[in-house]
Amino acid sequence: QVQLVESGGGLVQPGDSLRLSCAASGRSFSRDTTAWFRQTPGKEREFVAAIRWSDNHPYYATSVKGRFTISRDRSKSTMNLQMNSLKPEDTANYYCAATSRTLILSSMGLMGEYERWGQGTQVTVSS
């Protein structure tokens, strides 16, 4: 059973950058699809970005496109999220998610497609 562990959250100022990582333990990612979602208190969890490990194809939410970059490292079985030009509205608890399936693009942003979740890492953007 794959366990997911996020790291890299913290407190930064608007315009700063931050890099989140999600490491898998238990087995390595192969043809999985992995993703980042985020959630603030009182709101539904929302999609941020996803990547297919089979072909390295990314998919982004409109709100982060051009600012965030998702990547994967096969040798470490780790997924990363480079977040640049951070805004206060990016403040949230960020969750890593994974499914062993290769999802089609239209499904990569759907929370229900992912079976495994990490515990989350807090990102706070404030001056």
Side-chain angles (χ1 to χ4, degrees), residues 58-102:
Y59 181 60
Y60 296 97
T62 303
S63 60
V64 306
K65 207 167 187 178
R67 299 189 298 122
F68 291 10
T69 302
I70 192 169
S71 62
R72 57 143 171 84
D73 185 335
R74 280 194 177 278
S75 66
K76 298 178 182 179
S77 203
T78 299
M79 171 180 67
N80 301 303
L81 185 68
Q82 179 66 42
M83 305 186 293
N84 298 331
S85 303
L86 282 161
K87 305 175 181 180
E89 49 264 43
D90 294 318
T91 294
N93 204 6
Y94 283 71
Y95 295 90
C96 170
T99 175
S100 58
R101 296 169 294 138
T102 299

Short mmCIF file of all heavy atoms in Angstrom, two decimals, residues 58-102:
data_model
loop_
_atom_site.label_atom_id
_atom_site.label_comp_id
_atom_site.label_asym_id
_atom_site.label_seq_id
_atom_site.Cartn_x
_atom_site.Cartn_y
_atom_site.Cartn_z
N PRO A 58 1.49 17.03 -17.80
CA PRO A 58 0.92 17.79 -16.69
C PRO A 58 -0.47 18.32 -17.02
O PRO A 58 -0.86 18.39 -18.19
CB PRO A 58 1.91 18.93 -16.54
CG PRO A 58 2.34 19.20 -17.95
CD PRO A 58 2.34 17.87 -18.64
N TYR A 59 -1.16 18.74 -15.98
CA TYR A 59 -2.48 19.36 -16.14
C TYR A 59 -2.65 20.33 -14.98
O TYR A 59 -2.37 19.98 -13.85
CB TYR A 59 -3.57 18.27 -16.12
CG TYR A 59 -4.96 18.77 -16.30
CD1 TYR A 59 -5.34 19.46 -17.45
CD2 TYR A 59 -5.94 18.55 -15.33
CE1 TYR A 59 -6.64 19.90 -17.61
CE2 TYR A 59 -7.24 18.99 -15.49
CZ TYR A 59 -7.57 19.67 -16.64
OH TYR A 59 -8.87 20.11 -16.81
N TYR A 60 -3.07 21.55 -15.28
CA TYR A 60 -3.12 22.60 -14.26
C TYR A 60 -4.51 23.21 -14.14
O TYR A 60 -5.24 23.35 -15.14
CB TYR A 60 -2.13 23.71 -14.60
CG TYR A 60 -0.69 23.29 -14.60
CD1 TYR A 60 -0.05 22.95 -15.79
CD2 TYR A 60 0.05 23.24 -13.42
CE1 TYR A 60 1.27 22.56 -15.80
CE2 TYR A 60 1.38 22.86 -13.42
CZ TYR A 60 1.98 22.52 -14.61
OH TYR A 60 3.30 22.13 -14.62
N ALA A 61 -4.81 23.66 -12.93
CA ALA A 61 -5.98 24.51 -12.73
C ALA A 61 -5.68 25.88 -13.34
O ALA A 61 -4.53 26.33 -13.33
CB ALA A 61 -6.29 24.65 -11.25
N THR A 62 -6.71 26.53 -13.84
CA THR A 62 -6.52 27.83 -14.48
C THR A 62 -5.88 28.84 -13.53
O THR A 62 -5.05 29.65 -13.93
CB THR A 62 -7.87 28.37 -14.98
OG1 THR A 62 -8.45 27.40 -15.87
CG2 THR A 62 -7.71 29.69 -15.68
N SER A 63 -6.22 28.75 -12.26
CA SER A 63 -5.76 29.72 -11.27
C SER A 63 -4.26 29.67 -11.02
O SER A 63 -3.68 30.64 -10.51
CB SER A 63 -6.50 29.51 -9.95
OG SER A 63 -6.27 28.20 -9.45
N VAL A 64 -3.60 28.57 -11.38
CA VAL A 64 -2.17 28.44 -11.10
C VAL A 64 -1.34 28.29 -12.37
O VAL A 64 -0.10 28.30 -12.31
CB VAL A 64 -1.88 27.24 -10.17
CG1 VAL A 64 -2.71 27.35 -8.90
CG2 VAL A 64 -2.12 25.91 -10.88
N LYS A 65 -1.98 28.17 -13.51
CA LYS A 65 -1.26 27.97 -14.76
C LYS A 65 -0.31 29.14 -15.02
O LYS A 65 -0.70 30.30 -14.90
CB LYS A 65 -2.25 27.83 -15.92
CG LYS A 65 -1.74 27.02 -17.07
CD LYS A 65 -2.88 26.66 -18.02
CE LYS A 65 -2.42 25.71 -19.07
NZ LYS A 65 -3.52 25.30 -19.98
N GLY A 66 0.93 28.84 -15.35
CA GLY A 66 1.93 29.87 -15.59
C GLY A 66 2.71 30.26 -14.35
O GLY A 66 3.76 30.90 -14.45
N ARG A 67 2.20 29.89 -13.18
CA ARG A 67 2.91 30.20 -11.92
C ARG A 67 3.44 28.94 -11.25
O ARG A 67 4.50 28.97 -10.62
CB ARG A 67 1.97 30.92 -10.95
CG ARG A 67 1.44 32.25 -11.45
CD ARG A 67 0.70 32.99 -10.36
NE ARG A 67 -0.47 32.26 -9.87
CZ ARG A 67 -0.66 31.91 -8.60
NH1 ARG A 67 0.25 32.21 -7.68
NH2 ARG A 67 -1.75 31.27 -8.25
N PHE A 68 2.71 27.85 -11.35
CA PHE A 68 3.10 26.59 -10.71
C PHE A 68 3.58 25.61 -11.77
O PHE A 68 3.07 25.58 -12.89
CB PHE A 68 1.92 25.98 -9.98
CG PHE A 68 1.45 26.73 -8.76
CD1 PHE A 68 1.92 28.00 -8.45
CD2 PHE A 68 0.52 26.15 -7.90
CE1 PHE A 68 1.48 28.68 -7.34
CE2 PHE A 68 0.07 26.82 -6.78
CZ PHE A 68 0.55 28.08 -6.50
N THR A 69 4.54 24.77 -11.39
CA THR A 69 5.05 23.72 -12.26
C THR A 69 5.10 22.41 -11.49
O THR A 69 5.74 22.33 -10.44
CB THR A 69 6.45 24.06 -12.78
OG1 THR A 69 6.42 25.31 -13.48
CG2 THR A 69 6.94 22.97 -13.73
N ILE A 70 4.43 21.42 -12.04
CA ILE A 70 4.44 20.09 -11.42
C ILE A 70 5.47 19.22 -12.14
O ILE A 70 5.65 19.33 -13.36
CB ILE A 70 3.04 19.45 -11.47
CG1 ILE A 70 2.98 18.21 -10.57
CG2 ILE A 70 2.60 19.14 -12.89
CD1 ILE A 70 1.56 17.67 -10.37
N SER A 71 6.16 18.38 -11.39
CA SER A 71 7.17 17.51 -11.99
C SER A 71 7.25 16.22 -11.18
O SER A 71 6.71 16.12 -10.07
CB SER A 71 8.53 18.20 -12.01
OG SER A 71 8.97 18.49 -10.69
N ARG A 72 7.92 15.23 -11.77
CA ARG A 72 8.10 13.96 -11.08
C ARG A 72 9.54 13.51 -11.20
O ARG A 72 10.22 13.82 -12.17
CB ARG A 72 7.16 12.91 -11.67
CG ARG A 72 7.32 12.69 -13.17
CD ARG A 72 7.13 11.25 -13.50
NE ARG A 72 7.06 10.96 -14.91
CZ ARG A 72 8.10 10.79 -15.71
NH1 ARG A 72 9.32 10.99 -15.25
NH2 ARG A 72 7.94 10.45 -16.97
N ASP A 73 9.98 12.77 -10.20
CA ASP A 73 11.33 12.23 -10.17
C ASP A 73 11.21 10.72 -9.97
O ASP A 73 10.93 10.26 -8.86
CB ASP A 73 12.14 12.87 -9.04
CG ASP A 73 13.59 12.45 -9.02
OD1 ASP A 73 13.91 11.35 -9.52
OD2 ASP A 73 14.42 13.20 -8.50
N ARG A 74 11.41 9.97 -11.04
CA ARG A 74 11.25 8.51 -10.95
C ARG A 74 12.25 7.88 -9.99
O ARG A 74 11.92 6.94 -9.28
CB ARG A 74 11.39 7.88 -12.33
CG ARG A 74 10.16 7.97 -13.18
CD ARG A 74 10.25 7.05 -14.37
NE ARG A 74 9.04 7.08 -15.16
CZ ARG A 74 7.96 6.38 -14.87
NH1 ARG A 74 7.94 5.60 -13.80
NH2 ARG A 74 6.88 6.46 -15.65
N SER A 75 13.45 8.38 -10.00
CA SER A 75 14.50 7.76 -9.18
C SER A 75 14.17 7.85 -7.69
O SER A 75 14.58 7.00 -6.90
CB SER A 75 15.84 8.42 -9.47
OG SER A 75 15.85 9.76 -9.04
N LYS A 76 13.43 8.90 -7.31
CA LYS A 76 13.07 9.08 -5.91
C LYS A 76 11.60 8.79 -5.63
O LYS A 76 11.15 8.90 -4.49
CB LYS A 76 13.38 10.52 -5.49
CG LYS A 76 14.85 10.89 -5.59
CD LYS A 76 15.08 12.34 -5.19
CE LYS A 76 16.54 12.74 -5.33
NZ LYS A 76 16.78 14.16 -4.97
N SER A 77 10.85 8.45 -6.68
CA SER A 77 9.41 8.24 -6.57
C SER A 77 8.77 9.41 -5.85
O SER A 77 8.01 9.26 -4.88
CB SER A 77 9.10 6.93 -5.81
OG SER A 77 7.82 6.46 -6.15
N THR A 78 9.09 10.59 -6.34
CA THR A 78 8.65 11.83 -5.70
C THR A 78 8.02 12.76 -6.73
O THR A 78 8.48 12.86 -7.87
CB THR A 78 9.85 12.55 -5.06
OG1 THR A 78 10.41 11.70 -4.06
CG2 THR A 78 9.43 13.86 -4.40
N MET A 79 6.97 13.43 -6.31
CA MET A 79 6.33 14.45 -7.13
C MET A 79 6.59 15.81 -6.49
O MET A 79 6.58 15.92 -5.26
CB MET A 79 4.82 14.20 -7.19
CG MET A 79 4.03 15.32 -7.85
SD MET A 79 2.26 14.97 -7.89
CE MET A 79 1.83 15.03 -6.15
N ASN A 80 6.86 16.81 -7.31
CA ASN A 80 7.15 18.14 -6.80
C ASN A 80 6.18 19.18 -7.38
O ASN A 80 5.64 18.99 -8.47
CB ASN A 80 8.59 18.53 -7.17
CG ASN A 80 9.61 17.57 -6.62
OD1 ASN A 80 9.67 17.34 -5.42
ND2 ASN A 80 10.39 16.99 -7.51
N LEU A 81 6.02 20.25 -6.63
CA LEU A 81 5.23 21.37 -7.11
C LEU A 81 6.01 22.65 -6.83
O LEU A 81 6.16 23.05 -5.67
CB LEU A 81 3.87 21.44 -6.42
CG LEU A 81 2.92 22.52 -6.95
CD1 LEU A 81 2.46 22.18 -8.37
CD2 LEU A 81 1.71 22.69 -6.03
N GLN A 82 6.54 23.24 -7.89
CA GLN A 82 7.25 24.51 -7.77
C GLN A 82 6.22 25.63 -7.90
O GLN A 82 5.54 25.74 -8.92
CB GLN A 82 8.30 24.64 -8.87
CG GLN A 82 9.06 25.95 -8.85
CD GLN A 82 9.92 26.12 -7.62
OE1 GLN A 82 10.57 25.17 -7.17
NE2 GLN A 82 9.95 27.32 -7.06
N MET A 83 6.11 26.43 -6.85
CA MET A 83 5.12 27.49 -6.82
C MET A 83 5.83 28.84 -6.83
O MET A 83 6.57 29.16 -5.89
CB MET A 83 4.24 27.35 -5.57
CG MET A 83 3.58 25.99 -5.43
SD MET A 83 2.43 25.92 -4.05
CE MET A 83 3.57 26.06 -2.68
N ASN A 84 5.63 29.60 -7.89
CA ASN A 84 6.23 30.91 -8.03
C ASN A 84 5.15 32.00 -7.99
O ASN A 84 3.96 31.71 -8.17
CB ASN A 84 7.00 31.00 -9.35
CG ASN A 84 8.14 30.02 -9.43
OD1 ASN A 84 8.73 29.65 -8.42
ND2 ASN A 84 8.45 29.59 -10.64
N SER A 85 5.59 33.22 -7.76
CA SER A 85 4.67 34.38 -7.73
C SER A 85 3.46 34.10 -6.85
O SER A 85 2.31 34.29 -7.25
CB SER A 85 4.22 34.71 -9.16
OG SER A 85 5.31 34.98 -9.99
N LEU A 86 3.73 33.63 -5.66
CA LEU A 86 2.64 33.24 -4.76
C LEU A 86 1.79 34.43 -4.36
O LEU A 86 2.29 35.55 -4.19
CB LEU A 86 3.21 32.54 -3.53
CG LEU A 86 3.61 31.08 -3.77
CD1 LEU A 86 4.56 30.59 -2.70
CD2 LEU A 86 2.39 30.20 -3.87
N LYS A 87 0.50 34.17 -4.20
CA LYS A 87 -0.48 35.19 -3.83
C LYS A 87 -1.15 34.79 -2.52
O LYS A 87 -1.19 33.60 -2.18
CB LYS A 87 -1.54 35.29 -4.92
CG LYS A 87 -1.02 35.56 -6.32
CD LYS A 87 -2.14 35.52 -7.34
CE LYS A 87 -1.62 35.75 -8.75
NZ LYS A 87 -2.73 35.71 -9.74
N PRO A 88 -1.69 35.76 -1.81
CA PRO A 88 -2.41 35.41 -0.56
C PRO A 88 -3.50 34.37 -0.79
O PRO A 88 -3.74 33.53 0.08
CB PRO A 88 -2.98 36.75 -0.11
CG PRO A 88 -2.01 37.76 -0.64
CD PRO A 88 -1.58 37.21 -1.98
N GLU A 89 -4.14 34.40 -1.94
CA GLU A 89 -5.22 33.43 -2.21
C GLU A 89 -4.70 32.02 -2.45
O GLU A 89 -5.50 31.08 -2.57
CB GLU A 89 -6.06 33.87 -3.41
CG GLU A 89 -5.29 34.27 -4.63
CD GLU A 89 -5.07 35.77 -4.74
OE1 GLU A 89 -4.74 36.42 -3.70
OE2 GLU A 89 -5.21 36.31 -5.86
N ASP A 90 -3.37 31.84 -2.52
CA ASP A 90 -2.80 30.50 -2.60
C ASP A 90 -2.68 29.86 -1.22
O ASP A 90 -2.32 28.69 -1.11
CB ASP A 90 -1.41 30.55 -3.25
CG ASP A 90 -1.46 30.97 -4.70
OD1 ASP A 90 -2.35 30.50 -5.43
OD2 ASP A 90 -0.59 31.78 -5.11
N THR A 91 -2.95 30.62 -0.18
CA THR A 91 -2.88 30.09 1.17
C THR A 91 -3.88 28.95 1.34
O THR A 91 -5.07 29.10 1.05
CB THR A 91 -3.19 31.20 2.19
OG1 THR A 91 -2.16 32.19 2.13
CG2 THR A 91 -3.28 30.64 3.60
N ALA A 92 -3.38 27.80 1.78
CA ALA A 92 -4.23 26.61 1.93
C ALA A 92 -3.40 25.47 2.49
O ALA A 92 -2.17 25.56 2.55
CB ALA A 92 -4.84 26.20 0.59
N ASN A 93 -4.09 24.40 2.84
CA ASN A 93 -3.42 23.15 3.14
C ASN A 93 -3.34 22.37 1.84
O ASN A 93 -4.37 22.15 1.19
CB ASN A 93 -4.21 22.38 4.19
CG ASN A 93 -3.36 21.41 4.98
OD1 ASN A 93 -2.14 21.36 4.83
ND2 ASN A 93 -3.99 20.63 5.82
N TYR A 94 -2.16 22.01 1.43
CA TYR A 94 -1.94 21.33 0.15
C TYR A 94 -1.80 19.83 0.38
O TYR A 94 -1.00 19.38 1.21
CB TYR A 94 -0.69 21.88 -0.52
CG TYR A 94 -0.92 23.22 -1.16
CD1 TYR A 94 -1.11 24.36 -0.38
CD2 TYR A 94 -0.96 23.37 -2.55
CE1 TYR A 94 -1.36 25.60 -0.97
CE2 TYR A 94 -1.20 24.60 -3.14
CZ TYR A 94 -1.40 25.71 -2.34
OH TYR A 94 -1.64 26.93 -2.92
N TYR A 95 -2.58 19.08 -0.40
CA TYR A 95 -2.63 17.63 -0.27
C TYR A 95 -2.10 16.96 -1.54
O TYR A 95 -2.43 17.36 -2.65
CB TYR A 95 -4.06 17.15 -0.04
CG TYR A 95 -4.65 17.60 1.27
CD1 TYR A 95 -5.34 18.80 1.35
CD2 TYR A 95 -4.51 16.82 2.42
CE1 TYR A 95 -5.89 19.22 2.55
CE2 TYR A 95 -5.06 17.24 3.63
CZ TYR A 95 -5.74 18.43 3.68
OH TYR A 95 -6.27 18.85 4.88
N CYS A 96 -1.33 15.91 -1.34
CA CYS A 96 -0.86 15.06 -2.42
C CYS A 96 -1.86 13.92 -2.58
O CYS A 96 -2.38 13.39 -1.59
CB CYS A 96 0.52 14.53 -2.02
SG CYS A 96 1.18 13.25 -3.05
N ALA A 97 -2.14 13.53 -3.83
CA ALA A 97 -3.07 12.45 -4.10
C ALA A 97 -2.51 11.56 -5.20
O ALA A 97 -1.76 12.02 -6.05
CB ALA A 97 -4.42 13.00 -4.52
N ALA A 98 -2.92 10.29 -5.18
CA ALA A 98 -2.40 9.36 -6.18
C ALA A 98 -3.42 8.28 -6.53
O ALA A 98 -4.23 7.88 -5.70
CB ALA A 98 -1.12 8.70 -5.67
N THR A 99 -3.35 7.84 -7.78
CA THR A 99 -4.08 6.67 -8.24
C THR A 99 -3.13 5.85 -9.09
O THR A 99 -2.28 6.42 -9.77
CB THR A 99 -5.34 7.04 -9.04
OG1 THR A 99 -5.93 5.84 -9.54
CG2 THR A 99 -5.02 7.96 -10.21
N SER A 100 -3.27 4.54 -9.06
CA SER A 100 -2.38 3.68 -9.84
C SER A 100 -2.76 3.67 -11.32
O SER A 100 -2.05 3.09 -12.14
CB SER A 100 -2.41 2.25 -9.29
OG SER A 100 -3.73 1.75 -9.33
N ARG A 101 -3.85 4.34 -11.67
CA ARG A 101 -4.32 4.36 -13.05
C ARG A 101 -3.75 5.54 -13.83
O ARG A 101 -3.44 6.59 -13.25
CB ARG A 101 -5.85 4.44 -13.08
CG ARG A 101 -6.53 3.23 -12.47
CD ARG A 101 -8.01 3.48 -12.27
NE ARG A 101 -8.23 4.52 -11.28
CZ ARG A 101 -9.14 5.48 -11.41
NH1 ARG A 101 -9.89 5.57 -12.47
NH2 ARG A 101 -9.30 6.38 -10.45
N THR A 102 -3.62 5.37 -15.14
CA THR A 102 -3.25 6.47 -16.03
C THR A 102 -4.56 7.15 -16.44
O THR A 102 -5.31 6.62 -17.25
CB THR A 102 -2.51 5.94 -17.27
OG1 THR A 102 -1.31 5.28 -16.84
CG2 THR A 102 -2.15 7.09 -18.19
#
